[in-house]
Amino acid sequence: AGVMAAWWRGTRALLLDVSGVLYDSGGDGGGAPIAGSVEAVRKIKASGLKLRFCTNETQATREKFVQKLQGFGFDISVDEVTAPAPAACRVLRERSLRPHLLVHDDVMPEFAEIDRTNPNCVVIGDAADNFTYANLNEAFRVLIGLQNPVLISLGRGRYYKETDGLKLDVGAYMKALEYACDVQAEIVGKPAKMFFESALAELGVQPQQAIMIGDDIVNDVGGAQRCGMRAVQVRTGKYRPSDENHPQVKPDAYVDNLAEAVDLILQQL
Protein backbone atom coordinates (compact mmCIF):
# COMPACT_ATOMS: atom_id res chain seq x y z
CA ALA A 1 0.00 0.00 0.00
CA GLY A 2 1.01 3.68 0.24
CA VAL A 3 3.57 4.97 -2.23
CA MET A 4 4.25 1.59 -3.85
CA ALA A 5 0.64 1.26 -4.96
CA ALA A 6 1.10 3.53 -7.97
CA TRP A 7 3.35 1.29 -10.10
CA TRP A 8 0.52 0.10 -12.35
CA ARG A 9 -1.11 3.50 -13.04
CA GLY A 10 -1.52 4.70 -16.60
CA THR A 11 -0.60 1.40 -18.22
CA ARG A 12 -1.55 1.00 -21.87
CA ALA A 13 0.65 -1.93 -22.81
CA LEU A 14 2.23 -4.99 -21.24
CA LEU A 15 5.42 -6.69 -22.36
CA LEU A 16 5.64 -10.24 -21.07
CA ASP A 17 8.76 -12.33 -20.81
CA VAL A 18 7.85 -15.89 -21.76
CA SER A 19 10.13 -18.51 -20.21
CA GLY A 20 9.77 -18.34 -16.42
CA VAL A 21 6.68 -16.12 -16.63
CA LEU A 22 4.26 -18.05 -18.86
CA TYR A 23 5.92 -21.45 -18.55
CA ASP A 24 9.02 -23.33 -17.47
CA SER A 25 10.74 -24.97 -20.44
CA GLY A 26 11.72 -28.64 -20.43
CA GLY A 27 14.87 -30.19 -21.88
CA ASP A 28 12.90 -32.41 -24.26
CA GLY A 29 11.26 -29.34 -25.80
CA GLY A 30 8.36 -29.90 -23.39
CA GLY A 31 7.81 -27.95 -20.21
CA ALA A 32 4.88 -26.85 -18.11
CA PRO A 33 2.73 -23.72 -17.92
CA ILE A 34 3.01 -21.69 -14.71
CA ALA A 35 -0.23 -21.76 -12.70
CA GLY A 36 -2.64 -18.95 -13.59
CA SER A 37 -0.67 -17.68 -16.59
CA VAL A 38 -2.96 -18.96 -19.36
CA GLU A 39 -5.91 -17.23 -17.70
CA ALA A 40 -3.84 -14.06 -17.08
CA VAL A 41 -3.07 -13.73 -20.81
CA ARG A 42 -6.76 -14.22 -21.60
CA LYS A 43 -7.65 -11.41 -19.15
CA ILE A 44 -5.08 -9.04 -20.69
CA LYS A 45 -6.52 -9.62 -24.15
CA ALA A 46 -10.09 -9.14 -22.93
CA SER A 47 -9.09 -5.87 -21.20
CA GLY A 48 -8.01 -4.11 -24.39
CA LEU A 49 -4.46 -3.47 -23.13
CA LYS A 50 -1.84 -3.85 -25.84
CA LEU A 51 0.31 -6.94 -25.45
CA ARG A 52 3.68 -8.12 -26.69
CA PHE A 53 5.51 -11.33 -25.85
CA CYS A 54 9.24 -10.58 -25.49
CA THR A 55 11.48 -13.60 -25.58
CA ASN A 56 15.17 -14.36 -25.79
CA GLU A 57 14.17 -17.89 -26.82
CA THR A 58 16.59 -19.01 -29.53
CA GLN A 59 16.14 -22.77 -29.41
CA ALA A 60 13.22 -22.71 -31.85
CA THR A 61 11.71 -20.64 -34.64
CA ARG A 62 8.94 -18.30 -33.53
CA GLU A 63 6.45 -20.58 -35.31
CA LYS A 64 7.49 -23.67 -33.33
CA PHE A 65 7.74 -21.70 -30.10
CA VAL A 66 4.23 -20.26 -30.56
CA GLN A 67 2.82 -23.71 -31.42
CA LYS A 68 4.19 -25.04 -28.15
CA LEU A 69 2.60 -22.19 -26.17
CA GLN A 70 -0.70 -22.64 -27.99
CA GLY A 71 -0.48 -26.31 -26.98
CA PHE A 72 -0.31 -25.17 -23.35
CA GLY A 73 -3.52 -23.17 -23.96
CA PHE A 74 -2.02 -19.68 -24.43
CA ASP A 75 -3.72 -17.23 -26.79
CA ILE A 76 -0.62 -16.14 -28.73
CA SER A 77 0.32 -15.66 -32.38
CA VAL A 78 3.67 -15.24 -34.14
CA ASP A 79 3.09 -11.56 -34.95
CA GLU A 80 2.79 -10.80 -31.21
CA VAL A 81 6.31 -12.09 -30.49
CA THR A 82 9.48 -9.98 -30.37
CA ALA A 83 12.48 -12.32 -30.59
CA PRO A 84 16.24 -12.04 -31.17
CA ALA A 85 16.68 -14.07 -34.39
CA PRO A 86 14.63 -11.78 -36.65
CA ALA A 87 16.35 -8.76 -35.06
CA ALA A 88 19.73 -10.34 -35.82
CA CYS A 89 18.70 -10.94 -39.45
CA ARG A 90 17.81 -7.25 -39.75
CA VAL A 91 21.28 -6.28 -38.46
CA LEU A 92 23.03 -8.77 -40.76
CA ARG A 93 21.21 -7.42 -43.83
CA GLU A 94 21.76 -3.74 -42.92
CA ARG A 95 25.50 -4.29 -42.49
CA SER A 96 26.08 -6.88 -45.25
CA LEU A 97 27.32 -9.40 -42.70
CA ARG A 98 27.62 -13.09 -43.53
CA PRO A 99 27.39 -15.10 -40.33
CA HIS A 100 28.96 -18.25 -39.06
CA LEU A 101 26.06 -19.53 -36.93
CA LEU A 102 26.60 -21.12 -33.52
CA VAL A 103 22.91 -21.64 -32.74
CA HIS A 104 20.41 -24.37 -31.97
CA ASP A 105 19.50 -26.54 -35.01
CA ASP A 106 15.83 -25.74 -34.49
CA VAL A 107 16.31 -21.97 -34.90
CA MET A 108 18.23 -22.33 -38.20
CA PRO A 109 15.14 -21.75 -40.38
CA GLU A 110 15.00 -18.12 -39.11
CA PHE A 111 18.29 -17.56 -40.98
CA ALA A 112 17.22 -19.32 -44.20
CA GLU A 113 17.37 -16.15 -46.34
CA ILE A 114 20.80 -15.04 -45.05
CA ASP A 115 24.01 -15.50 -47.07
CA ARG A 116 26.45 -17.56 -45.00
CA THR A 117 29.27 -18.06 -47.51
CA ASN A 118 32.75 -16.90 -46.46
CA PRO A 119 31.61 -15.61 -43.03
CA ASN A 120 32.69 -12.20 -41.76
CA CYS A 121 31.02 -12.45 -38.34
CA VAL A 122 29.75 -14.96 -35.79
CA VAL A 123 26.18 -15.15 -34.48
CA ILE A 124 25.78 -17.02 -31.20
CA GLY A 125 22.48 -18.14 -29.65
CA ASP A 126 21.37 -20.64 -27.03
CA ALA A 127 22.76 -23.65 -28.87
CA ALA A 128 22.24 -26.05 -25.92
CA ASP A 129 23.80 -29.40 -26.92
CA ASN A 130 25.47 -27.76 -29.94
CA PHE A 131 27.81 -25.99 -27.50
CA THR A 132 30.52 -28.61 -28.00
CA TYR A 133 34.20 -27.81 -27.76
CA ALA A 134 34.52 -28.39 -31.50
CA ASN A 135 31.71 -25.95 -32.35
CA LEU A 136 32.95 -23.24 -29.97
CA ASN A 137 36.45 -23.67 -31.35
CA GLU A 138 35.17 -23.32 -34.91
CA ALA A 139 33.41 -20.06 -34.00
CA PHE A 140 36.60 -18.91 -32.27
CA ARG A 141 38.65 -19.63 -35.41
CA VAL A 142 36.29 -17.62 -37.61
CA LEU A 143 36.48 -14.62 -35.24
CA ILE A 144 40.21 -14.73 -34.60
CA GLY A 145 40.83 -14.88 -38.36
CA LEU A 146 38.92 -11.66 -39.07
CA GLN A 147 40.57 -8.23 -39.37
CA ASN A 148 37.58 -6.65 -37.62
CA PRO A 149 35.88 -9.43 -35.68
CA VAL A 150 32.12 -9.03 -35.16
CA LEU A 151 30.34 -11.19 -32.60
CA ILE A 152 26.56 -10.89 -32.46
CA SER A 153 24.81 -12.56 -29.54
CA LEU A 154 21.10 -13.32 -29.39
CA GLY A 155 21.17 -12.62 -25.64
CA ARG A 156 23.46 -12.50 -22.66
CA GLY A 157 21.50 -14.57 -20.14
CA ARG A 158 23.62 -16.50 -17.66
CA TYR A 159 21.19 -19.33 -17.03
CA TYR A 160 17.52 -20.21 -17.26
CA LYS A 161 15.20 -22.67 -15.59
CA GLU A 162 13.98 -25.90 -17.10
CA THR A 163 11.62 -28.31 -15.37
CA ASP A 164 14.62 -30.43 -14.30
CA GLY A 165 16.82 -27.57 -13.07
CA LEU A 166 18.94 -24.61 -14.12
CA LYS A 167 20.72 -24.59 -17.50
CA LEU A 168 23.70 -22.53 -18.73
CA ASP A 169 22.58 -19.88 -21.21
CA VAL A 170 24.20 -18.19 -24.20
CA GLY A 171 25.87 -15.45 -22.11
CA ALA A 172 28.42 -17.84 -20.63
CA TYR A 173 29.59 -18.93 -24.09
CA MET A 174 29.44 -15.37 -25.44
CA LYS A 175 31.85 -14.36 -22.65
CA ALA A 176 34.21 -17.21 -23.56
CA LEU A 177 34.44 -15.98 -27.17
CA GLU A 178 34.76 -12.34 -26.07
CA TYR A 179 37.66 -13.30 -23.82
CA ALA A 180 39.43 -15.55 -26.33
CA CYS A 181 39.15 -13.07 -29.22
CA ASP A 182 39.38 -9.81 -27.25
CA VAL A 183 36.14 -8.67 -28.86
CA GLN A 184 33.00 -7.04 -27.43
CA ALA A 185 29.80 -8.84 -28.41
CA GLU A 186 26.86 -6.88 -29.79
CA ILE A 187 23.66 -8.10 -28.16
CA VAL A 188 20.40 -8.09 -30.11
CA GLY A 189 18.17 -9.82 -27.53
CA LYS A 190 17.22 -8.59 -24.06
CA PRO A 191 18.57 -6.47 -22.34
CA ALA A 192 19.61 -4.50 -25.47
CA LYS A 193 17.83 -1.15 -25.86
CA MET A 194 17.14 -1.96 -29.50
CA PHE A 195 15.17 -5.05 -28.46
CA PHE A 196 12.80 -3.19 -26.12
CA GLU A 197 12.52 -0.21 -28.45
CA SER A 198 11.40 -2.41 -31.33
CA ALA A 199 8.77 -4.04 -29.09
CA LEU A 200 7.49 -0.58 -28.05
CA ALA A 201 7.45 0.58 -31.69
CA GLU A 202 5.47 -2.52 -32.68
CA LEU A 203 2.95 -1.65 -29.94
CA GLY A 204 2.90 2.06 -30.79
CA VAL A 205 3.30 3.21 -27.17
CA GLN A 206 5.73 5.37 -25.20
CA PRO A 207 8.01 3.63 -22.65
CA GLN A 208 6.22 5.23 -19.70
CA GLN A 209 2.91 3.69 -20.87
CA ALA A 210 4.30 0.15 -20.79
CA ILE A 211 5.15 -2.35 -18.06
CA MET A 212 7.56 -5.25 -18.54
CA ILE A 213 6.92 -8.40 -16.51
CA GLY A 214 9.84 -10.81 -16.20
CA ASP A 215 11.68 -13.37 -14.08
CA ASP A 216 15.21 -12.19 -15.01
CA ILE A 217 16.18 -9.24 -12.83
CA VAL A 218 19.00 -8.07 -15.10
CA ASN A 219 17.77 -8.80 -18.63
CA ASP A 220 14.01 -8.25 -18.21
CA VAL A 221 13.68 -5.79 -15.34
CA GLY A 222 16.93 -3.85 -15.68
CA GLY A 223 16.77 -3.74 -19.46
CA ALA A 224 13.20 -2.43 -19.52
CA GLN A 225 13.88 0.19 -16.83
CA ARG A 226 16.86 1.52 -18.81
CA CYS A 227 14.42 2.21 -21.66
CA GLY A 228 12.13 4.22 -19.40
CA MET A 229 9.59 1.47 -18.75
CA ARG A 230 8.32 0.25 -15.43
CA ALA A 231 9.23 -3.35 -14.73
CA VAL A 232 7.88 -5.98 -12.38
CA GLN A 233 9.69 -9.06 -11.10
CA VAL A 234 7.70 -12.31 -10.75
CA ARG A 235 8.73 -14.85 -8.13
CA THR A 236 8.56 -17.69 -10.68
CA GLY A 237 11.01 -19.14 -13.22
CA LYS A 238 14.64 -18.50 -12.37
CA TYR A 239 13.76 -15.98 -9.62
CA ARG A 240 15.78 -16.49 -6.45
CA PRO A 241 15.25 -14.66 -3.14
CA SER A 242 18.72 -13.10 -3.47
CA ASP A 243 17.40 -11.13 -6.48
CA GLU A 244 15.57 -8.90 -4.00
CA ASN A 245 18.92 -7.53 -2.79
CA HIS A 246 20.32 -6.87 -6.26
CA PRO A 247 22.87 -4.05 -6.01
CA GLN A 248 21.94 -2.38 -9.33
CA VAL A 249 18.37 -3.28 -10.23
CA LYS A 250 15.32 -2.37 -8.15
CA PRO A 251 12.06 -3.56 -9.74
CA ASP A 252 9.04 -1.26 -9.53
CA ALA A 253 7.29 -4.14 -7.77
CA TYR A 254 7.56 -7.81 -6.88
CA VAL A 255 4.60 -10.11 -7.50
CA ASP A 256 4.24 -13.81 -6.82
CA ASN A 257 3.34 -14.58 -10.43
CA LEU A 258 1.91 -13.17 -13.66
CA ALA A 259 -1.67 -13.72 -12.48
CA GLU A 260 -1.16 -11.44 -9.46
CA ALA A 261 0.47 -8.72 -11.60
CA VAL A 262 -2.36 -8.79 -14.13
CA ASP A 263 -5.06 -8.58 -11.47
CA LEU A 264 -3.38 -5.49 -9.95
CA ILE A 265 -2.92 -3.81 -13.34
CA LEU A 266 -6.49 -4.49 -14.48
CA GLN A 267 -7.91 -2.86 -11.33
CA GLN A 268 -6.94 0.54 -12.79
CA LEU A 269 -8.88 0.13 -16.05
Side-chain angles (χ1 to χ4, degrees):
V3 186
M4 279 299 289
W7 64 264
W8 57 75
R9 297 251 161 83
T11 312
R12 289 190 45 215
L14 295 181
L15 285 72
L16 303 187
D17 174 41
V18 179
S19 174
V21 174
L22 299 186
Y23 82 113
D24 284 323
S25 59
D28 51 0
I34 291 169
S37 291
V38 169
E39 179 66 4
V41 169
R42 206 190 53 70
K43 285 181 183 171
I44 295 166
K45 294 213 164 173
S47 75
L49 284 176
K50 295 182 170 192
L51 176 61
R52 197 98 197 143
F53 299 94
C54 293
T55 182
N56 267 8
E57 168 72 43
T58 55
Q59 286 197 13
T61 60
R62 280 164 301 162
E63 282 73 14
K64 274 275 185 318
F65 176 61
V66 162
Q67 272 169 11
K68 177 164 76 177
L69 289 166
Q70 288 170 343
F72 288 147
F74 287 102
D75 178 3
I76 179 174
S77 61
V78 172
D79 59 10
E80 296 173 309
V81 175
T82 303
C89 289
R90 203 159 63 233
V91 171
L92 293 167
R93 281 196 197 92
E94 279 166 10
R95 289 162 55 185
S96 307
L97 291 169
R98 300 178 306 277
H100 170 83
L101 297 175
L102 178 50
V103 298
H104 198 285
D105 294 337
D106 295 344
V107 85
M108 281 297 221
E110 293 271 15
F111 296 91
E113 308 294 300
I114 299 286
D115 179 10
R116 290 157 52 202
T117 55
N118 189 20
N120 57 4
C121 75
V122 167
V123 172
I124 186 173
D126 179 14
D129 293 335
N130 276 355
F131 279 134
T132 60
Y133 176 77
N135 287 349
L136 270 167
N137 203 50
E138 198 184 346
F140 157 74
R141 283 177 172 172
V142 170
L143 280 175
I144 207 81
L146 291 168
Q147 195 88 55
N148 300 301
V150 174
L151 174 59
I152 293 172
S153 187
L154 302 184
R156 66 152 205 221
R158 294 178 299 166
Y159 57 88
Y160 53 94
K161 181 162 186 272
E162 288 196 333
T163 45
D164 63 345
L166 299 176
K167 300 286 163 92
L168 271 180
D169 201 355
V170 60
Y173 301 95
M174 174 196 91
K175 285 288 182 193
L177 290 174
E178 280 187 335
Y179 178 64
C181 303
D182 196 21
V183 62
Q184 192 80 51
E186 301 174 44
I187 294 151
V188 293
K190 295 179 291 190
K193 245 189 152 109
M194 180 184 91
F195 182 93
F196 291 105
E197 282 167 356
S198 64
L200 289 167
E202 285 155 0
L203 287 166
V205 297
Q206 296 303 308
Q208 62 277 9
Q209 299 172 311
I211 293 180
M212 174 77 201
I213 302 174
D215 70 324
D216 185 319
I217 187 138
V218 173
N219 293 309
D220 296 331
V221 176
Q225 286 178 335
R226 275 203 307 280
C227 291
M229 276 185 262
R230 285 161 289 172
V232 174
Q233 166 95 35
V234 290
R235 294 186 178 103
T236 56
K238 71 165 95 166
Y239 162 84
R240 292 151 84 203
S242 60
D243 292 344
E244 306 210 17
N245 308 313
H246 196 279
Q248 279 90 42
V249 184
K250 301 277 171 259
D252 291 271
Y254 289 94
V255 292
D256 284 338
N257 48 40
L258 177 64
E260 185 190 346
V262 169
D263 287 343
L264 288 168
I265 291 162
L266 295 187
Q267 285 173 12
Q268 56 128 16
L269 297 178

